[in-house]
Amino acid sequence: MSVKSLIVTTKFTKAQREHKCKANKKHIISQNDLRLEVKNERSWDKYCMHCAAIIIKKMQRDSSLIADEFTALK
């Protein structure tokens, strides 16, 4: 049986060049800074580590709410 994942493909990488964070254009990701990359269809959205922490906390909250709801249905 193949199990479906609710989490999109993500990875942490070092920036090859300077660019802006996808979540906040005021956040600059400098060359060699760590960043979070999130698969978006055929491309990747890139986020600074500050925004990555916010995204990860939201994912944890959302997945916890889904798990709680699932447990309540049993």
Side-chain angles (χ1 to χ4, degrees):
M1 178 173 106
S2 178
V3 178
K4 174 77 176 160
S5 176
L6 298 176
I7 298 174
V8 296
T9 303
T10 59
K11 61 184 177 181
F12 288 97
T13 63
K14 282 189 178 181
Q16 298 298 310
R17 61 178 178 82
E18 184 176 282
H19 56 91
K20 296 177 182 176
C21 174
K22 179 75 173 179
N24 186 334
K25 301 296 183 200
K26 293 179 182 176
H27 295 172
I28 302 298
I29 303 169
S30 298
Q31 184 177 9
N32 291 323
D33 282 355
L34 283 176
R35 66 183 180 194
L36 173 67
E37 292 189 15
V38 179
K39 187 75 170 166
N40 180 2
E41 295 185 17
R42 294 183 180 179
S43 63
W44 293 87
D45 291 334
K46 297 163 180 85
Y47 301 92
C48 68
M49 294 303 282
H50 174 79
C51 291
I54 295 168
I55 292 167
I56 290 168
K57 286 178 188 172
K58 182 178 180 343
M59 182 211 44
Q60 288 173 321
R61 281 193 311 268
D62 292 350
S63 61
S64 179
L65 289 173
I66 291 169
D68 291 347
E69 184 177 349
F70 178 73
T71 301
L73 293 173
K74 288 184 173 181

Coordinates of all heavy atoms in Angstrom, one line a residue:
M1 N 0.8 -1.2 0.0 CA 0.0 0.0 0.0 C 0.9 1.3 0.0 O 1.8 1.4 0.8 CB -0.9 0.0 1.2 CG -1.8 1.2 1.4 SD -2.9 1.1 2.7 CE -2.2 2.2 3.9
S2 N 0.6 2.2 -0.9 CA 1.3 3.4 -0.9 C 0.7 4.5 0.0 O -0.6 4.6 -0.1 CB 1.3 4.0 -2.4 OG 2.0 5.2 -2.4
V3 N 1.5 5.1 0.8 CA 0.9 6.0 1.8 C 1.1 7.5 1.3 O 2.2 7.9 0.9 CB 1.6 5.9 3.2 CG1 1.1 6.9 4.2 CG2 1.4 4.5 3.7
K4 N 0.1 8.2 1.2 CA 0.1 9.6 0.7 C 0.7 10.5 1.8 O 0.3 10.4 3.0 CB -1.3 10.1 0.4 CG -1.5 11.5 0.0 CD -1.0 11.7 -1.4 CE -1.3 13.2 -1.8 NZ -0.5 13.7 -2.8
S5 N 1.5 11.4 1.5 CA 2.1 12.4 2.4 C 1.3 13.7 2.3 O 1.1 14.2 1.1 CB 3.6 12.6 2.2 OG 4.1 13.6 3.0
L6 N 1.0 14.4 3.4 CA 0.4 15.7 3.3 C 1.4 16.8 3.3 O 1.1 18.0 3.2 CB -0.5 15.9 4.6 CG -1.7 14.9 4.7 CD1 -2.4 15.1 5.9 CD2 -2.6 15.0 3.5
I7 N 2.7 16.5 3.4 CA 3.8 17.4 3.5 C 4.4 17.5 2.1 O 4.8 16.5 1.5 CB 4.8 17.1 4.5 CG1 4.2 17.0 5.9 CG2 6.0 18.0 4.5 CD1 5.1 16.5 7.0
V8 N 4.6 18.8 1.6 CA 5.2 19.0 0.3 C 6.7 18.8 0.4 O 7.2 18.9 1.5 CB 4.8 20.3 -0.3 CG1 3.4 20.5 -0.6 CG2 5.3 21.4 0.6
T9 N 7.3 18.5 -0.7 CA 8.8 18.3 -0.7 C 9.5 19.6 -0.3 O 9.2 20.7 -0.9 CB 9.2 17.9 -2.1 OG1 8.5 16.7 -2.5 CG2 10.7 17.7 -2.2
T10 N 10.4 19.5 0.6 CA 11.1 20.7 1.1 C 12.6 20.3 1.3 O 12.9 19.1 1.5 CB 10.6 21.2 2.5 OG1 10.6 20.2 3.4 CG2 9.2 21.7 2.3
K11 N 13.5 21.3 1.4 CA 14.9 21.0 1.7 C 15.5 22.3 2.1 O 15.0 23.4 1.8 CB 15.6 20.4 0.5 CG 15.6 21.3 -0.8 CD 16.3 20.6 -1.9 CE 16.2 21.5 -3.2 NZ 16.8 20.8 -4.3
F12 N 16.6 22.2 2.9 CA 17.4 23.3 3.3 C 18.7 23.3 2.4 O 19.3 22.3 2.2 CB 17.8 23.2 4.7 CG 16.7 23.5 5.7 CD1 16.0 22.4 6.2 CD2 16.3 24.7 6.0 CE1 14.9 22.6 7.1 CE2 15.2 25.0 6.9 CZ 14.5 23.9 7.4
T13 N 19.0 24.5 1.8 CA 20.1 24.6 1.0 C 20.9 25.9 1.3 O 20.3 26.8 2.0 CB 19.7 24.6 -0.5 OG1 18.9 25.8 -0.8 CG2 19.0 23.3 -0.9
K14 N 22.0 26.1 0.7 CA 22.8 27.4 0.7 C 22.4 28.1 -0.5 O 22.5 27.5 -1.6 CB 24.3 27.1 0.8 CG 24.7 26.8 2.2 CD 26.3 26.8 2.2 CE 26.7 26.5 3.6 NZ 28.2 26.5 3.7
A15 N 22.2 29.4 -0.4 CA 21.9 30.2 -1.6 C 23.1 30.4 -2.4 O 24.2 30.6 -1.9 CB 21.4 31.6 -1.1
Q16 N 22.9 30.2 -3.7 CA 24.0 30.4 -4.7 C 24.3 31.9 -5.0 O 25.4 32.3 -5.4 CB 23.7 29.6 -6.0 CG 23.6 28.1 -5.7 CD 24.9 27.5 -5.2 OE1 25.9 27.7 -5.8 NE2 24.8 26.7 -4.2
R17 N 23.2 32.7 -4.8 CA 23.3 34.1 -5.1 C 22.4 34.9 -4.1 O 21.6 34.2 -3.5 CB 23.0 34.5 -6.5 CG 21.5 34.0 -6.9 CD 21.2 34.4 -8.3 NE 19.9 34.0 -8.6 CZ 18.7 34.7 -8.3 NH1 18.8 35.8 -7.7 NH2 17.6 34.2 -8.7
E18 N 22.5 36.2 -4.1 CA 21.6 37.0 -3.2 C 20.2 37.1 -3.9 O 20.1 37.3 -5.1 CB 22.2 38.3 -3.0 CG 21.4 39.2 -2.1 CD 22.0 40.5 -1.8 OE1 23.0 40.5 -1.0 OE2 21.6 41.5 -2.4
H19 N 19.1 37.0 -3.1 CA 17.8 37.2 -3.6 C 16.8 37.4 -2.5 O 17.2 37.4 -1.3 CB 17.3 36.0 -4.5 CG 17.4 34.7 -3.8 ND1 16.3 34.2 -3.0 CD2 18.4 33.7 -3.6 CE1 16.7 33.0 -2.5 NE2 17.9 32.7 -2.8
K20 N 15.6 37.7 -2.8 CA 14.6 38.1 -1.8 C 13.8 36.8 -1.3 O 13.6 35.9 -2.1 CB 13.6 39.1 -2.3 CG 14.3 40.4 -2.6 CD 13.3 41.4 -3.2 CE 14.0 42.7 -3.6 NZ 13.1 43.6 -4.3
C21 N 13.4 36.8 -0.1 CA 12.5 35.8 0.5 C 11.2 35.8 -0.2 O 10.6 36.9 -0.4 CB 12.4 36.0 2.0 SG 11.3 34.9 2.8
K22 N 10.6 34.7 -0.5 CA 9.3 34.6 -1.1 C 8.2 35.1 -0.2 O 7.2 35.7 -0.7 CB 9.0 33.1 -1.5 CG 7.7 32.9 -2.1 CD 7.7 33.3 -3.6 CE 6.4 32.9 -4.2 NZ 6.3 33.3 -5.6
A23 N 8.3 34.9 1.1 CA 7.3 35.3 2.1 C 7.3 36.8 2.4 O 6.3 37.4 2.7 CB 7.4 34.5 3.3
N24 N 8.5 37.4 2.4 CA 8.7 38.8 2.8 C 9.8 39.4 1.9 O 11.0 39.1 2.1 CB 9.0 38.9 4.3 CG 9.1 40.3 4.7 OD1 9.3 41.3 4.0 ND2 8.8 40.5 6.0
K25 N 9.4 40.2 1.0 CA 10.4 40.8 0.0 C 11.4 41.7 0.7 O 12.5 42.0 0.1 CB 9.7 41.6 -1.1 CG 8.7 40.8 -1.9 CD 9.4 39.7 -2.7 CE 8.4 38.9 -3.5 NZ 8.8 37.6 -3.9
K26 N 11.2 42.1 1.9 CA 12.1 42.9 2.7 C 13.3 42.0 3.2 O 14.3 42.6 3.6 CB 11.5 43.7 3.8 CG 10.5 44.7 3.4 CD 9.8 45.4 4.5 CE 8.8 46.4 4.0 NZ 8.1 47.0 5.1
H27 N 13.1 40.7 3.3 CA 14.1 39.8 3.8 C 15.0 39.4 2.7 O 14.5 38.8 1.7 CB 13.5 38.6 4.4 CG 12.7 38.9 5.7 ND1 11.9 37.9 6.3 CD2 12.5 40.0 6.4 CE1 11.3 38.4 7.3 NE2 11.7 39.7 7.4
I28 N 16.3 39.7 2.8 CA 17.3 39.4 1.8 C 18.0 38.1 2.2 O 18.5 38.0 3.3 CB 18.3 40.5 1.6 CG1 17.5 41.8 1.2 CG2 19.3 40.2 0.5 CD1 16.8 41.8 -0.1
I29 N 18.1 37.2 1.2 CA 18.9 36.0 1.5 C 20.2 36.2 0.7 O 20.2 36.3 -0.5 CB 18.1 34.7 0.9 CG1 16.8 34.6 1.6 CG2 19.0 33.5 1.1 CD1 15.9 33.5 0.9
S30 N 21.3 36.3 1.5 CA 22.6 36.5 0.9 C 23.2 35.2 0.4 O 22.8 34.1 0.8 CB 23.5 37.2 1.9 OG 23.0 38.4 2.3
Q31 N 24.2 35.4 -0.5 CA 24.9 34.2 -1.0 C 25.5 33.4 0.2 O 26.0 34.0 1.1 CB 26.0 34.7 -1.9 CG 26.8 33.5 -2.6 CD 27.8 34.0 -3.6 OE1 28.1 35.2 -3.6 NE2 28.4 33.1 -4.3
N32 N 25.3 32.1 0.1 CA 25.8 31.2 1.1 C 24.9 31.1 2.4 O 25.2 30.4 3.3 CB 27.3 31.4 1.5 CG 28.2 31.0 0.4 OD1 27.9 30.1 -0.4 ND2 29.2 31.8 0.2
D33 N 23.9 32.0 2.5 CA 23.0 31.8 3.6 C 22.1 30.6 3.5 O 21.8 30.2 2.4 CB 22.0 33.0 3.7 CG 22.5 34.3 4.2 OD1 23.7 34.3 4.7 OD2 21.8 35.3 4.2
L34 N 21.8 30.0 4.6 CA 20.9 28.8 4.6 C 19.5 29.3 4.3 O 19.1 30.4 4.7 CB 20.9 28.1 5.9 CG 22.0 27.2 6.1 CD1 21.9 26.6 7.5 CD2 22.1 26.0 5.1
R35 N 18.7 28.5 3.5 CA 17.3 28.9 3.2 C 16.5 27.6 3.1 O 17.0 26.5 2.9 CB 17.3 29.7 1.9 CG 17.7 28.8 0.7 CD 17.8 29.5 -0.6 NE 18.2 28.6 -1.6 CZ 18.6 28.9 -2.8 NH1 18.6 30.2 -3.2 NH2 18.9 28.0 -3.7
L36 N 15.2 27.8 3.2 CA 14.2 26.7 3.1 C 13.7 26.8 1.6 O 13.3 27.9 1.2 CB 13.1 26.9 4.1 CG 11.9 25.9 3.9 CD1 12.4 24.4 4.2 CD2 10.7 26.3 4.8
E37 N 13.7 25.7 0.9 CA 13.2 25.6 -0.4 C 11.9 24.7 -0.3 O 12.0 23.6 0.2 CB 14.2 25.0 -1.4 CG 15.3 26.0 -1.7 CD 16.2 25.5 -2.8 OE1 15.8 24.7 -3.6 OE2 17.3 26.1 -2.9
V38 N 10.8 25.1 -0.9 CA 9.6 24.4 -0.9 C 9.2 24.2 -2.4 O 9.1 25.1 -3.1 CB 8.5 25.1 -0.1 CG1 7.2 24.3 -0.2 CG2 8.9 25.4 1.3
K39 N 8.9 22.9 -2.7 CA 8.6 22.6 -4.1 C 7.2 23.2 -4.4 O 6.2 23.0 -3.6 CB 8.5 21.0 -4.2 CG 8.3 20.6 -5.6 CD 9.5 20.7 -6.5 CE 9.3 20.0 -7.8 NZ 10.3 20.3 -8.8
N40 N 7.2 23.9 -5.5 CA 5.9 24.5 -6.0 C 5.7 24.1 -7.4 O 6.3 24.8 -8.3 CB 6.1 26.1 -5.8 CG 4.8 26.8 -6.3 OD1 3.8 26.2 -6.7 ND2 4.9 28.1 -6.2
E41 N 5.0 23.1 -7.7 CA 4.8 22.5 -9.0 C 6.2 22.2 -9.6 O 6.9 21.3 -9.1 CB 3.9 23.4 -9.8 CG 2.5 23.4 -9.3 CD 1.6 24.2 -10.2 OE1 1.9 24.4 -11.4 OE2 0.5 24.6 -9.7
R42 N 6.6 22.9 -10.6 CA 7.8 22.6 -11.3 C 9.0 23.5 -10.8 O 10.1 23.3 -11.3 CB 7.7 22.9 -12.8 CG 6.7 21.9 -13.4 CD 6.6 22.1 -14.9 NE 5.7 21.1 -15.5 CZ 5.4 21.1 -16.7 NH1 5.9 21.9 -17.6 NH2 4.5 20.2 -17.1
S43 N 8.8 24.4 -9.9 CA 9.9 25.2 -9.4 C 10.0 25.1 -7.9 O 9.3 24.3 -7.3 CB 9.7 26.7 -9.8 OG 8.5 27.2 -9.3
W44 N 10.8 26.0 -7.3 CA 11.0 26.0 -5.8 C 10.8 27.4 -5.3 O 11.3 28.4 -5.9 CB 12.4 25.6 -5.5 CG 12.7 24.1 -5.8 CD1 13.1 23.6 -7.0 CD2 12.6 23.0 -4.9 NE1 13.3 22.3 -6.9 CE2 13.0 21.9 -5.6 CE3 12.2 22.9 -3.6 CZ2 13.0 20.6 -5.1 CZ3 12.2 21.6 -3.0 CH2 12.6 20.5 -3.8
D45 N 10.0 27.5 -4.2 CA 9.9 28.8 -3.5 C 11.0 28.8 -2.4 O 11.2 27.8 -1.8 CB 8.5 29.0 -2.9 CG 7.4 29.1 -3.9 OD1 7.7 29.6 -5.0 OD2 6.3 28.8 -3.6
K46 N 11.7 30.0 -2.3 CA 12.8 30.0 -1.4 C 12.5 31.0 -0.3 O 12.1 32.1 -0.5 CB 14.1 30.4 -2.2 CG 14.4 29.3 -3.2 CD 15.4 29.9 -4.2 CE 15.7 28.8 -5.2 NZ 14.7 28.7 -6.3
Y47 N 12.7 30.6 1.0 CA 12.4 31.4 2.2 C 13.6 31.5 3.1 O 14.4 30.6 3.2 CB 11.3 30.7 3.0 CG 10.0 30.5 2.2 CD1 9.8 29.3 1.5 CD2 9.1 31.5 2.1 CE1 8.6 29.1 0.8 CE2 7.9 31.3 1.4 CZ 7.7 30.1 0.7 OH 6.5 29.9 0.0
C48 N 13.8 32.7 3.7 CA 14.8 33.0 4.6 C 14.6 32.1 5.9 O 13.5 31.6 6.1 CB 14.9 34.4 5.0 SG 13.5 35.1 6.0
M49 N 15.6 31.9 6.7 CA 15.5 31.1 7.9 C 14.5 31.7 8.9 O 13.8 30.9 9.6 CB 16.8 30.9 8.5 CG 17.8 30.0 7.6 SD 17.1 28.4 7.1 CE 17.4 27.5 8.6
H50 N 14.3 33.0 9.0 CA 13.3 33.6 9.9 C 11.9 33.2 9.5 O 11.1 32.7 10.3 CB 13.4 35.1 9.8 CG 12.4 35.8 10.6 ND1 12.4 35.9 12.0 CD2 11.2 36.4 10.2 CE1 11.3 36.6 12.4 NE2 10.6 36.9 11.3
C51 N 11.6 33.3 8.2 CA 10.3 32.9 7.7 C 10.1 31.4 7.7 O 9.0 30.9 8.0 CB 10.1 33.4 6.3 SG 9.9 35.2 6.2
A52 N 11.2 30.7 7.5 CA 11.2 29.2 7.6 C 10.7 28.7 9.0 O 9.9 27.8 9.1 CB 12.5 28.6 7.3
A53 N 11.2 29.4 10.0 CA 10.8 29.0 11.4 C 9.3 29.3 11.6 O 8.6 28.4 12.2 CB 11.6 29.8 12.4
I54 N 8.8 30.3 11.0 CA 7.3 30.6 11.1 C 6.5 29.6 10.4 O 5.5 29.1 10.8 CB 7.0 32.1 10.6 CG1 7.7 33.1 11.5 CG2 5.5 32.3 10.5 CD1 7.7 34.5 11.0
I55 N 7.0 29.3 9.2 CA 6.3 28.3 8.3 C 6.3 26.9 9.0 O 5.3 26.2 9.1 CB 7.0 28.2 7.0 CG1 6.8 29.4 6.2 CG2 6.5 26.9 6.2 CD1 7.7 29.6 4.9
I56 N 7.4 26.5 9.6 CA 7.5 25.2 10.3 C 6.6 25.2 11.5 O 5.9 24.2 11.8 CB 9.0 24.9 10.6 CG1 9.7 24.6 9.3 CG2 9.1 23.7 11.6 CD1 11.2 24.5 9.5
K57 N 6.6 26.2 12.3 CA 5.7 26.3 13.5 C 4.2 26.2 13.0 O 3.4 25.5 13.7 CB 5.9 27.6 14.3 CG 7.2 27.6 15.1 CD 7.4 28.9 15.8 CE 8.8 28.9 16.4 NZ 9.1 30.2 17.0
K58 N 3.8 26.9 12.0 CA 2.4 26.8 11.5 C 2.1 25.4 11.0 O 1.1 24.8 11.3 CB 2.2 27.8 10.3 CG 0.8 27.7 9.8 CD 0.5 28.7 8.7 CE -0.9 28.7 8.2 NZ -1.7 27.6 8.4
M59 N 3.1 24.7 10.3 CA 2.9 23.3 9.9 C 2.7 22.4 11.1 O 1.8 21.5 11.1 CB 4.1 22.8 9.1 CG 3.9 21.4 8.5 SD 5.4 20.4 8.3 CE 6.3 20.7 9.8
Q60 N 3.4 22.6 12.2 CA 3.3 21.8 13.4 C 1.9 22.0 14.0 O 1.3 21.0 14.4 CB 4.4 22.1 14.4 CG 5.8 21.6 13.9 CD 6.9 22.1 14.9 OE1 6.9 23.3 15.4 NE2 7.8 21.3 15.1
R61 N 1.5 23.3 14.1 CA 0.1 23.5 14.6 C -0.9 22.9 13.8 O -1.8 22.2 14.3 CB -0.1 25.0 14.7 CG 0.5 25.7 15.9 CD 0.0 27.2 16.1 NE 0.0 27.9 14.8 CZ 0.9 28.7 14.4 NH1 2.0 28.9 15.1 NH2 0.8 29.4 13.3
D62 N -0.9 23.1 12.5 CA -1.9 22.5 11.6 C -1.9 21.0 11.6 O -3.0 20.4 11.7 CB -1.6 23.0 10.1 CG -1.8 24.5 9.9 OD1 -2.4 25.2 10.9 OD2 -1.5 25.0 8.9
S63 N -0.8 20.4 11.6 CA -0.8 18.9 11.7 C -1.3 18.4 13.0 O -1.9 17.4 13.1 CB 0.6 18.4 11.3 OG 1.6 18.8 12.3
S64 N -1.0 19.1 14.1 CA -1.5 18.8 15.4 C -3.0 18.9 15.5 O -3.7 18.0 16.0 CB -0.9 19.6 16.5 OG -1.3 19.3 17.7
L65 N -3.6 19.9 14.9 CA -5.0 20.1 14.8 C -5.7 18.9 14.0 O -6.7 18.4 14.4 CB -5.4 21.4 14.2 CG -5.1 22.6 15.1 CD1 -5.4 23.9 14.3 CD2 -6.0 22.6 16.4
I66 N -5.1 18.6 12.9 CA -5.6 17.5 12.1 C -5.5 16.2 12.9 O -6.5 15.4 12.9 CB -4.9 17.4 10.8 CG1 -5.2 18.6 9.9 CG2 -5.2 16.1 10.0 CD1 -4.3 18.7 8.7
A67 N -4.4 15.9 13.6 CA -4.3 14.7 14.3 C -5.3 14.6 15.5 O -5.9 13.6 15.7 CB -2.9 14.6 14.9
D68 N -5.5 15.8 16.1 CA -6.5 15.8 17.2 C -7.9 15.6 16.7 O -8.7 14.8 17.3 CB -6.4 17.2 17.9 CG -5.2 17.4 18.7 OD1 -4.4 16.5 18.9 OD2 -4.9 18.6 19.1
E69 N -8.2 16.2 15.6 CA -9.5 15.9 15.0 C -9.7 14.5 14.6 O -10.8 13.9 14.8 CB -9.7 16.8 13.7 CG -11.1 16.8 13.1 CD -11.3 17.7 11.9 OE1 -10.4 18.6 11.7 OE2 -12.3 17.6 11.2
F70 N -8.7 13.9 14.0 CA -8.7 12.5 13.6 C -9.0 11.6 14.9 O -9.8 10.7 14.9 CB -7.4 12.1 12.9 CG -7.4 10.6 12.5 CD1 -8.2 10.1 11.5 CD2 -6.6 9.7 13.2 CE1 -8.1 8.8 11.2 CE2 -6.5 8.4 12.9 CZ -7.3 7.9 11.9
T71 N -8.2 11.9 15.9 CA -8.3 11.1 17.2 C -9.7 11.2 17.8 O -10.3 10.2 18.2 CB -7.3 11.6 18.2 OG1 -6.0 11.4 17.6 CG2 -7.4 10.8 19.5
A72 N -10.3 12.4 17.7 CA -11.7 12.6 18.2 C -12.7 11.9 17.4 O -13.8 11.5 18.0 CB -12.0 14.1 18.2
L73 N -12.5 11.6 16.2 CA -13.4 10.8 15.3 C -13.5 9.4 15.6 O -14.4 8.7 15.3 CB -13.1 11.1 13.8 CG -13.3 12.5 13.3 CD1 -12.8 12.6 11.9 CD2 -14.8 12.9 13.4
K74 N -12.4 8.8 16.2 CA -12.3 7.4 16.5 C -13.3 7.0 17.6 O -13.6 7.6 18.5 CB -10.9 7.0 16.9 CG -10.0 7.0 15.8 CD -8.6 6.5 16.2 CE -7.7 6.4 15.1 NZ -6.4 5.9 15.5

